[in-house]
Amino acid sequence: MQRRAQREQPERAKRLTRVLVCAAAVPVMLVAAGCSSDSGSDDGGDKAASASASASPSPTVQAAAYRTLPEACGVLTKKTLKDLAPKAKSGKQGSSDDVASRASCSWSSLDNNGVKGSQFRWLNVSLLRFESDTTRGPGDKLAKEYYDKQVGEVRATPDAKSLRAEALAGTGDEATAVRYDLKKKEGTFKQQTVVARVENVVVTLDYNGAGLAGDETPDADALMADAKKAAKEAVLSVTKANGPGAGAGSPSSAPSGKASGRPSVTPSDAASASASGKS
């Protein structure tokens, strides 16, 4: 019996050792499994966030309706030019680095009647097209902002006398006609300015007239009627230049252009402009 007990003691010791080793191994396995589970969860979250970020759409804006401008010196018919500037031989095109975005043309007419005096007329048409921009907004919105600014500047013309402004229907999406008198050394000039917006294009038409060397001052109502007629033709030319279905297109991000208004011009101003190459 004693020898049997002695034999069983080493066996029990071996079994106890195996139990202790296994018990110690279990926490290690649990810790390893827990770390592995946490690591996988973090990787999944990072991948989901990355996928969500890559799926976010980039900013877009509706493409501008009109993508080009007509040739500035061809926006008015020959008949209209004969009525407004009868002695003008041809139009003088303004300088531009991008005629699809900005263009202008002017006509100067002097009907010299010698000792009986002279009739002077000056006509200018400026065209400015705005592209849609993802930062600044759609082209028609930018054109609207410029239109409002242009009208405000005309109405604030220094030294303008008897200024009157009126909304003009049937000329693009919106239009304003402004008239005033401007006294210069050559005489009193009757200035008519029509600012019109059609979609993303702003048309500014300036027309002034004066009786020089004692000739009669032209009738402001007649000049304004001619200016309104010419402005409608210019707006129609913009529409025709872009063809039917203008405005369809994909979102755009092109920058928009800038331009400034046109002041009244006298015979001496016109001569100076011609010499310097400005319209």
Side-chain angles (χ1 to χ4, degrees), residues 147 166-176 194-198 227-237 239:
Y147 165 84
E166 61 177 311
L168 181 59
T171 305
D173 296 306
E174 55 187 332
T176 300
V194 178
V195 184
R197 181 185 68 84
V198 54
K228 290 178 179 178
K229 174 185 175 182
K232 289 182 180 181
E233 283 189 11
V235 168
L236 184 60
S237 293
T239 302

Side-chain angles (χ1 to χ4, degrees), residues 14 17-18 53 86 93 144 148 155 169-170 211 231 258 262 274 278:
K14 290 180 182 180
T17 300
R18 286 197 296 270
Q93 186 168 323
K144 167 65 175 174
D148 291 338
R155 299 186 67 162
K258 299 179 180 179
R262 301 286 180 174
S274 177
K278 298 178 181 180

Side-chain angles (χ1 to χ4, degrees), residues 27-225:
V28 174
M29 294 173 64
L30 291 176
V31 171
C35 293
S36 176
S37 175
D38 291 343
S39 177
S41 176
D42 288 344
D43 291 344
D46 292 343
K47 291 179 180 179
S50 177
S52 176
S54 62
S56 299
S58 58
T60 59
V61 63
Q62 182 62 41
Y66 294 152
R67 301 182 179 182
T68 190
L69 293 175
E71 197 277 317
C73 291
V75 296
L76 302 178
T77 65
K78 291 182 179 180
K79 182 181 185 306
T80 296
L81 288 173
K82 184 176 180 180
D83 291 340
L84 274 66
K87 296 299 180 178
K89 294 182 179 180
S90 62
K92 176 176 173 53
Q93 186 168 323
S95 60
S96 174
D97 56 356
D98 182 5
V99 294
S101 296
R102 59 176 64 85
S104 66
C105 190
S106 63
W107 296 263
S108 183
S109 172
L110 181 62
D111 187 4
N112 193 337
N113 296 314
V115 295
K116 295 182 180 180
S118 303
Q119 285 292 321
F120 173 75
R121 300 288 186 274
W122 183 76
L123 172 65
N124 185 88
V125 178
S126 296
L127 310 171
L128 182 61
R129 185 181 65 87
F130 290 83
E131 274 289 2
S132 294
D133 187 283
T134 54
T135 302
R136 300 177 62 199
D140 58 346
K141 173 181 174 289
L142 298 175
K144 167 65 175 174
E145 292 174 355
Y146 179 77
Y147 165 84
D148 291 338
K149 179 182 178 182
Q150 188 81 325
V151 171
E153 289 181 353
V154 174
R155 299 186 67 162
T157 300
D159 302 322
K161 304 297 182 182
S162 304
L163 188 147
R164 292 168 54 188
E166 61 177 311
L168 181 59
T171 305
D173 296 306
E174 55 187 332
T176 300
V178 183
R179 70 169 72 178
Y180 56 85
D181 295 345
L182 202 59
K183 290 187 177 181
K184 297 200 174 187
K185 61 181 181 179
E186 295 91 345
T188 298
F189 287 76
K190 298 289 185 178
Q191 173 71 35
Q192 330 295 316
T193 298
V194 178
V195 184
R197 181 185 68 84
V198 54
E199 295 288 355
N200 57 307
V201 176
V202 176
V203 177
T204 303
L205 184 139
D206 289 299
Y207 183 49
N208 69 45
L212 308 178
D215 206 347
E216 294 182 357
T217 300
D219 180 67
D221 289 336
L223 293 178
M224 179 54 82

